[in-house]
Amino acid sequence: MSKVNVVLGCFYGDEGKGRTTDYLAQTCEVAVRASGGNNAGHTIEFNGKKFAMRLTPSGIFSGKTVAIIGNGVVLNPKVLINEINMLKENGVDVDTYLKISEKAHLIFPYHSEMDVMLESRRAHKIGTTKNGIGPAYCDKYERCGLRVEDLYKDSFKEDLRNQVAVKNYLLNCVDVNLDFDAIYDEYMRYAEILKPYVCDTISLIHRYIKEDKMIVCEGAQATLLDIDFGSYPYVTSSNPTIGGILTGSGISARDVGDVYGVIKAYSSRVGEGPYVTELTDETGDRIRDLGHEYGTVTGRPRRCGWLDLVALQYAIDINGINYINLNHLDTIGNFDTFKACIAYEIDGREVREFSTNEEFLRKAKPVYREFKGNFGDISKCRTFEELPAQAQEYVRFIEEYTGCFVKLIGTGADRECMIVR
Ligand code: IMO
Ligand code: MG
């Protein structure tokens, strides 16, 4: 029986998870997305072009990988159909390789409207992507959500009518009144287009595991955006950590193999919430420019700062990460010197254990260690030994601190710019 490799973000998203999955998919036969929705934006470069994947696992680009959208995903059919068309235009055989779980919950226009309305009334804004992710998960847990399979049931029309009425009632306060007939007609069109891809992905995945197929799960969002383990309420509405991979796909804990934690050589965050190593000065601006840190989904400039090893250790412990994929090593090498946070100072005390407690994070002051930069052009390096000594030193320090092997190193934006150890 095969073991499933999992790719997870360690901080606040945008660590480059798409690239890791894309790399692993070259040897994997199946790629799975298990949580989140089109709040994700996974950029991969392929044939000299840049693609921002929102829902489809990036593994589909390998040309021989089955791409599964699992039951834990909240699915906006309009976004997915645009993605399917884009993939087809670029020669990807979507019809053979895309599978959509019949149990995935659907996002409707009222979810996005609710997202906007709720965010506008919040005392402390979260800075959501306004894609209706939170409201769709609310409906799932409230048990009034509509799933992909419902599109093909006779009861769909009445259930949707009922939902539109309820949501219009709630949206009345912002003068929004959605037209049931228009939504119904629109979703019936989507149902037709998506039908060939819809199946029972849970038993399909179990079959693949028994057939010894190589499977990779592509996490979306990241550990510190987790509804349970992140900096609540400044989080997303799902579990982007290891537990969410299992419940969002039907894969058992027994079947999990290697867990890859993806990080950048620095850090970034979109949206509100605490961020201990944030740099609000020109150094932060320089990281943003060098690393092109602007949201794939919203285009928002990302908050940037140094790498936080205290938080990284937390992500490793929560997820059982055994391999690190370190991206943007080239970016950090542009600095003469740069830093990484090795402890927090709280009330004059040095601590190395992370907590999402609000007061703890508000008080925490980063204790830094400085590293030598000026790596030069490392994009052609294909082995660890080819990296300049100071770059090797940074990687080794991360390994010593975490006890985790840095297996993949991103040295540039292109697909080939990756050192595998
Ligand atoms: P990937 O998979 C970065 C952030 C949003 C916001 C918070 C809640 O590309 O790493 P939501 O719309 O989910 O209710 O917003 O979570 N967020 C992300 N930030 N990358 C992502 O995904 C994100 N998905 C959600 O900016 O602060
Ligand atoms: Mg993103």
Side-chain angles (χ1 to χ4, degrees), residues 94-144:
V94 185
D95 291 349
T96 305
Y97 291 108
L98 179 65
K99 310 282 173 201
I100 304 168
S101 170
E102 57 197 9
K103 305 281 183 242
H105 277 252
L106 291 164
I107 295 183
F108 288 91
Y110 48 79
H111 289 126
S112 323
E113 295 288 353
M114 292 287 293
D115 202 348
V116 173
M117 183 271 277
L118 292 167
E119 180 79 350
S120 73
R121 264 133 219 264
R122 262 183 202 116
H124 302 282
K125 307 256 179 276
I126 295 171
T128 75
T129 59
K130 301 198 169 81
N131 285 309
I133 308 297
Y137 277 114
C138 280
D139 280 1
K140 172 174 177 172
Y141 288 96
E142 213 283 305
R143 294 150 300 175
C144 65

Short mmCIF file of all heavy atoms in Angstrom, two decimals, residues 94-144:
data_model
loop_
_atom_site.label_atom_id
_atom_site.label_comp_id
_atom_site.label_asym_id
_atom_site.label_seq_id
_atom_site.Cartn_x
_atom_site.Cartn_y
_atom_site.Cartn_z
N VAL A 94 -7.62 18.01 -19.12
CA VAL A 94 -8.46 18.09 -17.92
C VAL A 94 -9.50 16.97 -17.89
O VAL A 94 -9.78 16.39 -16.84
CB VAL A 94 -9.18 19.46 -17.87
CG1 VAL A 94 -9.96 19.62 -16.58
CG2 VAL A 94 -8.19 20.59 -18.01
N ASP A 95 -10.06 16.65 -19.07
CA ASP A 95 -11.14 15.66 -19.11
C ASP A 95 -10.69 14.31 -18.59
O ASP A 95 -11.46 13.59 -17.96
CB ASP A 95 -11.69 15.53 -20.54
CG ASP A 95 -12.43 16.80 -20.95
OD1 ASP A 95 -12.68 17.65 -20.07
OD2 ASP A 95 -12.75 16.95 -22.15
N THR A 96 -9.45 13.96 -18.82
CA THR A 96 -8.94 12.67 -18.33
C THR A 96 -8.59 12.76 -16.85
O THR A 96 -8.79 11.81 -16.10
CB THR A 96 -7.68 12.25 -19.11
OG1 THR A 96 -8.01 12.26 -20.50
CG2 THR A 96 -7.18 10.88 -18.70
N TYR A 97 -8.05 13.89 -16.43
CA TYR A 97 -7.38 13.90 -15.13
C TYR A 97 -8.11 14.60 -13.97
O TYR A 97 -7.75 14.39 -12.82
CB TYR A 97 -5.97 14.50 -15.28
CG TYR A 97 -5.07 13.58 -16.07
CD1 TYR A 97 -4.69 13.87 -17.37
CD2 TYR A 97 -4.65 12.38 -15.50
CE1 TYR A 97 -3.88 12.99 -18.09
CE2 TYR A 97 -3.83 11.50 -16.21
CZ TYR A 97 -3.46 11.81 -17.51
OH TYR A 97 -2.68 10.96 -18.21
N LEU A 98 -9.13 15.40 -14.23
CA LEU A 98 -9.78 16.10 -13.12
C LEU A 98 -10.92 15.29 -12.51
O LEU A 98 -11.78 14.77 -13.23
CB LEU A 98 -10.31 17.47 -13.58
CG LEU A 98 -11.04 18.28 -12.50
CD1 LEU A 98 -10.08 18.69 -11.37
CD2 LEU A 98 -11.70 19.53 -13.10
N LYS A 99 -10.94 15.19 -11.18
CA LYS A 99 -12.03 14.52 -10.46
C LYS A 99 -12.51 15.45 -9.35
O LYS A 99 -11.69 16.02 -8.61
CB LYS A 99 -11.56 13.21 -9.82
CG LYS A 99 -10.81 12.29 -10.75
CD LYS A 99 -11.75 11.53 -11.67
CE LYS A 99 -10.95 10.75 -12.70
NZ LYS A 99 -11.74 10.40 -13.89
N ILE A 100 -13.83 15.58 -9.24
CA ILE A 100 -14.40 16.47 -8.22
C ILE A 100 -15.26 15.65 -7.27
O ILE A 100 -16.12 14.88 -7.70
CB ILE A 100 -15.29 17.55 -8.88
CG1 ILE A 100 -14.51 18.34 -9.93
CG2 ILE A 100 -15.91 18.46 -7.84
CD1 ILE A 100 -15.40 19.22 -10.81
N SER A 101 -15.06 15.86 -5.97
CA SER A 101 -15.85 15.13 -4.98
C SER A 101 -17.31 15.57 -5.01
O SER A 101 -17.61 16.77 -4.99
CB SER A 101 -15.30 15.36 -3.58
OG SER A 101 -16.21 14.84 -2.63
N GLU A 102 -18.20 14.59 -5.01
CA GLU A 102 -19.63 14.89 -4.95
C GLU A 102 -20.01 15.48 -3.58
O GLU A 102 -21.06 16.07 -3.42
CB GLU A 102 -20.43 13.61 -5.22
CG GLU A 102 -20.08 12.49 -4.25
CD GLU A 102 -20.52 11.09 -4.71
OE1 GLU A 102 -20.95 10.94 -5.85
OE2 GLU A 102 -20.42 10.17 -3.88
N LYS A 103 -19.13 15.30 -2.60
CA LYS A 103 -19.42 15.78 -1.24
C LYS A 103 -18.88 17.19 -0.96
O LYS A 103 -19.07 17.71 0.13
CB LYS A 103 -18.81 14.83 -0.20
CG LYS A 103 -19.24 13.38 -0.34
CD LYS A 103 -20.62 13.14 0.24
CE LYS A 103 -21.02 11.68 0.16
NZ LYS A 103 -22.22 11.49 -0.67
N ALA A 104 -18.17 17.76 -1.91
CA ALA A 104 -17.64 19.12 -1.68
C ALA A 104 -18.81 20.10 -1.60
O ALA A 104 -19.77 20.00 -2.37
CB ALA A 104 -16.69 19.50 -2.81
N HIS A 105 -18.72 21.04 -0.68
CA HIS A 105 -19.79 22.03 -0.54
C HIS A 105 -19.63 23.14 -1.58
O HIS A 105 -18.51 23.55 -1.89
CB HIS A 105 -19.79 22.62 0.88
CG HIS A 105 -20.51 21.74 1.84
ND1 HIS A 105 -21.73 22.05 2.38
CD2 HIS A 105 -20.19 20.51 2.32
CE1 HIS A 105 -22.14 21.07 3.17
NE2 HIS A 105 -21.22 20.12 3.16
N LEU A 106 -20.78 23.61 -2.07
CA LEU A 106 -20.75 24.64 -3.11
C LEU A 106 -20.75 26.04 -2.51
O LEU A 106 -21.39 26.28 -1.48
CB LEU A 106 -21.98 24.49 -4.01
CG LEU A 106 -22.02 23.25 -4.90
CD1 LEU A 106 -23.44 23.03 -5.41
CD2 LEU A 106 -21.04 23.38 -6.06
N ILE A 107 -20.07 26.93 -3.18
CA ILE A 107 -20.16 28.36 -2.83
C ILE A 107 -21.16 29.01 -3.79
O ILE A 107 -21.09 28.79 -5.00
CB ILE A 107 -18.78 29.04 -2.93
CG1 ILE A 107 -17.83 28.45 -1.89
CG2 ILE A 107 -18.92 30.56 -2.75
CD1 ILE A 107 -16.46 29.09 -1.84
N PHE A 108 -22.10 29.76 -3.22
CA PHE A 108 -23.11 30.47 -4.01
C PHE A 108 -22.88 31.97 -3.88
O PHE A 108 -22.17 32.42 -2.96
CB PHE A 108 -24.51 30.10 -3.49
CG PHE A 108 -24.91 28.69 -3.84
CD1 PHE A 108 -24.62 27.65 -2.96
CD2 PHE A 108 -25.53 28.40 -5.05
CE1 PHE A 108 -24.96 26.34 -3.28
CE2 PHE A 108 -25.87 27.10 -5.38
CZ PHE A 108 -25.59 26.06 -4.49
N PRO A 109 -23.49 32.77 -4.78
CA PRO A 109 -23.31 34.22 -4.70
C PRO A 109 -23.66 34.80 -3.33
O PRO A 109 -23.06 35.78 -2.89
CB PRO A 109 -24.25 34.76 -5.78
CG PRO A 109 -24.35 33.65 -6.77
CD PRO A 109 -24.27 32.38 -5.98
N TYR A 110 -24.62 34.16 -2.62
CA TYR A 110 -24.98 34.72 -1.30
C TYR A 110 -23.85 34.55 -0.29
O TYR A 110 -23.76 35.31 0.66
CB TYR A 110 -26.30 34.14 -0.76
CG TYR A 110 -26.49 32.65 -0.80
CD1 TYR A 110 -25.90 31.82 0.14
CD2 TYR A 110 -27.30 32.05 -1.78
CE1 TYR A 110 -26.10 30.44 0.13
CE2 TYR A 110 -27.50 30.68 -1.82
CZ TYR A 110 -26.90 29.88 -0.87
OH TYR A 110 -27.11 28.52 -0.90
N HIS A 111 -22.97 33.57 -0.51
CA HIS A 111 -21.84 33.41 0.42
C HIS A 111 -20.87 34.58 0.31
O HIS A 111 -20.40 35.10 1.33
CB HIS A 111 -21.12 32.09 0.15
CG HIS A 111 -21.91 30.89 0.55
ND1 HIS A 111 -22.18 29.84 -0.30
CD2 HIS A 111 -22.51 30.58 1.73
CE1 HIS A 111 -22.91 28.93 0.34
NE2 HIS A 111 -23.13 29.36 1.57
N SER A 112 -20.58 34.99 -0.91
CA SER A 112 -19.67 36.14 -1.09
C SER A 112 -20.31 37.41 -0.54
O SER A 112 -19.65 38.23 0.10
CB SER A 112 -19.33 36.34 -2.56
OG SER A 112 -19.19 35.10 -3.20
N GLU A 113 -21.63 37.57 -0.78
CA GLU A 113 -22.34 38.75 -0.26
C GLU A 113 -22.31 38.76 1.27
O GLU A 113 -22.12 39.81 1.89
CB GLU A 113 -23.79 38.79 -0.75
CG GLU A 113 -23.94 38.98 -2.25
CD GLU A 113 -23.60 40.39 -2.72
OE1 GLU A 113 -23.36 41.26 -1.87
OE2 GLU A 113 -23.56 40.60 -3.96
N MET A 114 -22.50 37.60 1.87
CA MET A 114 -22.46 37.49 3.34
C MET A 114 -21.06 37.83 3.85
O MET A 114 -20.91 38.50 4.87
CB MET A 114 -22.81 36.06 3.79
CG MET A 114 -24.24 35.64 3.56
SD MET A 114 -25.42 36.41 4.68
CE MET A 114 -24.96 35.68 6.24
N ASP A 115 -20.04 37.34 3.14
CA ASP A 115 -18.65 37.59 3.51
C ASP A 115 -18.38 39.11 3.56
O ASP A 115 -17.85 39.65 4.54
CB ASP A 115 -17.73 36.92 2.47
CG ASP A 115 -16.33 36.64 2.99
OD1 ASP A 115 -15.97 37.16 4.06
OD2 ASP A 115 -15.58 35.91 2.32
N VAL A 116 -18.82 39.80 2.51
CA VAL A 116 -18.63 41.26 2.42
C VAL A 116 -19.40 41.96 3.53
O VAL A 116 -18.88 42.84 4.23
CB VAL A 116 -19.08 41.78 1.03
CG1 VAL A 116 -19.06 43.30 0.98
CG2 VAL A 116 -18.21 41.19 -0.08
N MET A 117 -20.66 41.53 3.74
CA MET A 117 -21.52 42.18 4.75
C MET A 117 -20.94 41.98 6.16
O MET A 117 -20.81 42.93 6.92
CB MET A 117 -22.94 41.60 4.65
CG MET A 117 -23.95 42.22 5.58
SD MET A 117 -24.04 41.43 7.19
CE MET A 117 -25.12 40.04 6.83
N LEU A 118 -20.55 40.74 6.47
CA LEU A 118 -20.04 40.45 7.82
C LEU A 118 -18.72 41.18 8.07
O LEU A 118 -18.50 41.72 9.15
CB LEU A 118 -19.84 38.93 8.00
CG LEU A 118 -21.15 38.12 8.02
CD1 LEU A 118 -20.87 36.63 7.89
CD2 LEU A 118 -21.94 38.39 9.31
N GLU A 119 -17.86 41.21 7.07
CA GLU A 119 -16.56 41.88 7.22
C GLU A 119 -16.77 43.39 7.44
O GLU A 119 -16.09 44.00 8.26
CB GLU A 119 -15.70 41.62 5.98
CG GLU A 119 -14.32 42.25 6.00
CD GLU A 119 -13.27 41.50 6.85
OE1 GLU A 119 -13.63 40.57 7.60
OE2 GLU A 119 -12.10 41.88 6.77
N SER A 120 -17.76 43.97 6.75
CA SER A 120 -17.99 45.41 6.87
C SER A 120 -18.49 45.77 8.27
O SER A 120 -18.35 46.89 8.72
CB SER A 120 -18.99 45.89 5.82
OG SER A 120 -20.29 45.45 6.16
N ARG A 121 -19.10 44.80 8.97
CA ARG A 121 -19.64 45.07 10.30
C ARG A 121 -18.73 44.63 11.44
O ARG A 121 -19.09 44.79 12.61
CB ARG A 121 -21.00 44.35 10.43
CG ARG A 121 -22.15 45.28 10.13
CD ARG A 121 -23.17 44.68 9.21
NE ARG A 121 -23.63 45.71 8.27
CZ ARG A 121 -24.73 46.44 8.43
NH1 ARG A 121 -25.48 46.25 9.48
NH2 ARG A 121 -25.06 47.36 7.56
N ARG A 122 -17.61 44.04 11.12
CA ARG A 122 -16.71 43.56 12.17
C ARG A 122 -15.97 44.70 12.83
O ARG A 122 -15.47 45.60 12.14
CB ARG A 122 -15.66 42.62 11.57
CG ARG A 122 -16.00 41.19 11.74
CD ARG A 122 -14.94 40.27 11.21
NE ARG A 122 -15.59 39.00 10.94
CZ ARG A 122 -15.73 38.45 9.75
NH1 ARG A 122 -15.20 39.01 8.69
NH2 ARG A 122 -16.38 37.32 9.61
N ALA A 123 -15.87 44.63 14.17
CA ALA A 123 -15.10 45.64 14.88
C ALA A 123 -13.62 45.48 14.53
O ALA A 123 -12.91 46.44 14.28
CB ALA A 123 -15.31 45.49 16.38
N HIS A 124 -13.15 44.21 14.52
CA HIS A 124 -11.76 43.93 14.14
C HIS A 124 -11.77 43.17 12.83
O HIS A 124 -12.12 42.00 12.80
CB HIS A 124 -11.05 43.11 15.23
CG HIS A 124 -11.08 43.79 16.56
ND1 HIS A 124 -10.23 44.83 16.86
CD2 HIS A 124 -11.87 43.61 17.64
CE1 HIS A 124 -10.50 45.25 18.09
NE2 HIS A 124 -11.49 44.54 18.58
N LYS A 125 -11.42 43.87 11.78
CA LYS A 125 -11.47 43.25 10.44
C LYS A 125 -10.47 42.10 10.34
O LYS A 125 -9.37 42.16 10.88
CB LYS A 125 -11.13 44.29 9.37
CG LYS A 125 -11.97 45.56 9.47
CD LYS A 125 -13.03 45.60 8.40
CE LYS A 125 -13.89 46.84 8.51
NZ LYS A 125 -15.00 46.72 9.49
N ILE A 126 -10.90 41.05 9.61
CA ILE A 126 -10.01 39.90 9.38
C ILE A 126 -9.21 40.13 8.10
O ILE A 126 -8.07 39.70 7.98
CB ILE A 126 -10.83 38.59 9.27
CG1 ILE A 126 -11.53 38.30 10.60
CG2 ILE A 126 -9.96 37.42 8.84
CD1 ILE A 126 -12.52 37.16 10.55
N GLY A 127 -9.83 40.86 7.17
CA GLY A 127 -9.20 41.02 5.86
C GLY A 127 -9.40 39.77 5.01
O GLY A 127 -8.46 39.27 4.41
N THR A 128 -10.63 39.24 4.99
CA THR A 128 -10.89 38.01 4.22
C THR A 128 -10.74 38.30 2.72
O THR A 128 -10.70 39.45 2.30
CB THR A 128 -12.32 37.46 4.44
OG1 THR A 128 -13.25 38.28 3.71
CG2 THR A 128 -12.69 37.42 5.91
N THR A 129 -10.67 37.22 1.96
CA THR A 129 -10.55 37.37 0.50
C THR A 129 -11.90 37.71 -0.14
O THR A 129 -11.99 37.88 -1.35
CB THR A 129 -9.99 36.09 -0.14
OG1 THR A 129 -10.87 35.00 0.17
CG2 THR A 129 -8.59 35.77 0.38
N LYS A 130 -12.96 37.74 0.66
CA LYS A 130 -14.32 38.07 0.21
C LYS A 130 -14.87 37.08 -0.82
O LYS A 130 -15.71 37.41 -1.65
CB LYS A 130 -14.38 39.50 -0.35
CG LYS A 130 -13.96 40.54 0.68
CD LYS A 130 -14.44 41.93 0.28
CE LYS A 130 -14.27 42.94 1.38
NZ LYS A 130 -12.94 43.50 1.51
N ASN A 131 -14.35 35.87 -0.75
CA ASN A 131 -14.81 34.83 -1.69
C ASN A 131 -15.92 33.97 -1.10
O ASN A 131 -16.34 33.00 -1.73
CB ASN A 131 -13.63 33.94 -2.08
CG ASN A 131 -12.71 34.64 -3.04
OD1 ASN A 131 -13.15 35.16 -4.06
ND2 ASN A 131 -11.42 34.67 -2.73
N GLY A 132 -16.38 34.31 0.10
CA GLY A 132 -17.49 33.55 0.69
C GLY A 132 -17.05 32.25 1.36
O GLY A 132 -17.87 31.36 1.61
N ILE A 133 -15.75 32.15 1.64
CA ILE A 133 -15.22 30.91 2.22
C ILE A 133 -15.84 30.66 3.60
O ILE A 133 -16.38 29.58 3.87
CB ILE A 133 -13.67 30.98 2.33
CG1 ILE A 133 -13.03 31.36 0.99
CG2 ILE A 133 -13.11 29.68 2.91
CD1 ILE A 133 -13.24 30.40 -0.14
N GLY A 134 -15.73 31.66 4.50
CA GLY A 134 -16.26 31.50 5.85
C GLY A 134 -17.75 31.18 5.84
O GLY A 134 -18.19 30.18 6.44
N PRO A 135 -18.59 31.98 5.17
CA PRO A 135 -20.02 31.69 5.13
C PRO A 135 -20.35 30.30 4.54
O PRO A 135 -21.29 29.65 4.98
CB PRO A 135 -20.58 32.82 4.25
CG PRO A 135 -19.66 33.96 4.52
CD PRO A 135 -18.29 33.33 4.64
N ALA A 136 -19.56 29.83 3.57
CA ALA A 136 -19.83 28.49 3.01
C ALA A 136 -19.54 27.40 4.04
O ALA A 136 -20.31 26.45 4.19
CB ALA A 136 -19.00 28.27 1.75
N TYR A 137 -18.43 27.57 4.77
CA TYR A 137 -18.15 26.59 5.84
C TYR A 137 -19.17 26.70 6.97
O TYR A 137 -19.52 25.69 7.59
CB TYR A 137 -16.72 26.77 6.39
CG TYR A 137 -15.67 26.07 5.55
CD1 TYR A 137 -14.70 26.80 4.86
CD2 TYR A 137 -15.64 24.68 5.43
CE1 TYR A 137 -13.74 26.17 4.08
CE2 TYR A 137 -14.69 24.03 4.66
CZ TYR A 137 -13.73 24.78 4.00
OH TYR A 137 -12.78 24.15 3.23
N CYS A 138 -19.66 27.91 7.25
CA CYS A 138 -20.73 28.07 8.26
C CYS A 138 -21.93 27.23 7.87
O CYS A 138 -22.49 26.50 8.70
CB CYS A 138 -21.17 29.53 8.36
SG CYS A 138 -20.09 30.54 9.33
N ASP A 139 -22.34 27.31 6.61
CA ASP A 139 -23.50 26.55 6.14
C ASP A 139 -23.26 25.05 6.24
O ASP A 139 -24.15 24.28 6.57
CB ASP A 139 -23.84 26.92 4.69
CG ASP A 139 -24.62 28.24 4.62
OD1 ASP A 139 -24.86 28.84 5.68
OD2 ASP A 139 -24.99 28.66 3.50
N LYS A 140 -22.02 24.65 5.95
CA LYS A 140 -21.68 23.22 6.05
C LYS A 140 -21.94 22.74 7.48
O LYS A 140 -22.60 21.73 7.69
CB LYS A 140 -20.22 23.02 5.67
CG LYS A 140 -19.69 21.61 5.92
CD LYS A 140 -18.26 21.47 5.38
CE LYS A 140 -17.69 20.09 5.69
NZ LYS A 140 -16.39 19.85 5.03
N TYR A 141 -21.44 23.51 8.45
CA TYR A 141 -21.57 23.07 9.84
C TYR A 141 -22.96 23.33 10.41
O TYR A 141 -23.39 22.67 11.36
CB TYR A 141 -20.46 23.69 10.70
CG TYR A 141 -19.15 23.01 10.37
CD1 TYR A 141 -18.26 23.57 9.45
CD2 TYR A 141 -18.85 21.75 10.89
CE1 TYR A 141 -17.10 22.91 9.09
CE2 TYR A 141 -17.70 21.08 10.53
CZ TYR A 141 -16.82 21.67 9.63
OH TYR A 141 -15.69 20.99 9.26
N GLU A 142 -23.67 24.27 9.79
CA GLU A 142 -25.04 24.53 10.21
C GLU A 142 -25.99 23.50 9.58
O GLU A 142 -27.16 23.42 9.90
CB GLU A 142 -25.42 25.97 9.79
CG GLU A 142 -26.38 26.65 10.73
CD GLU A 142 -27.80 26.17 10.56
OE1 GLU A 142 -28.30 26.23 9.42
OE2 GLU A 142 -28.40 25.73 11.56
N ARG A 143 -25.43 22.75 8.62
CA ARG A 143 -26.12 21.66 7.90
C ARG A 143 -27.18 22.16 6.92
O ARG A 143 -28.17 21.50 6.66
CB ARG A 143 -26.74 20.65 8.89
CG ARG A 143 -25.67 19.89 9.65
CD ARG A 143 -26.13 19.49 11.01
NE ARG A 143 -26.50 20.66 11.81
CZ ARG A 143 -27.04 20.60 13.02
NH1 ARG A 143 -27.31 19.44 13.55
NH2 ARG A 143 -27.31 21.70 13.68
N CYS A 144 -26.97 23.36 6.41
CA CYS A 144 -27.86 23.85 5.35
C CYS A 144 -27.08 24.06 4.06
O CYS A 144 -27.58 24.66 3.12
CB CYS A 144 -28.57 25.12 5.80
SG CYS A 144 -27.45 26.50 6.06
#
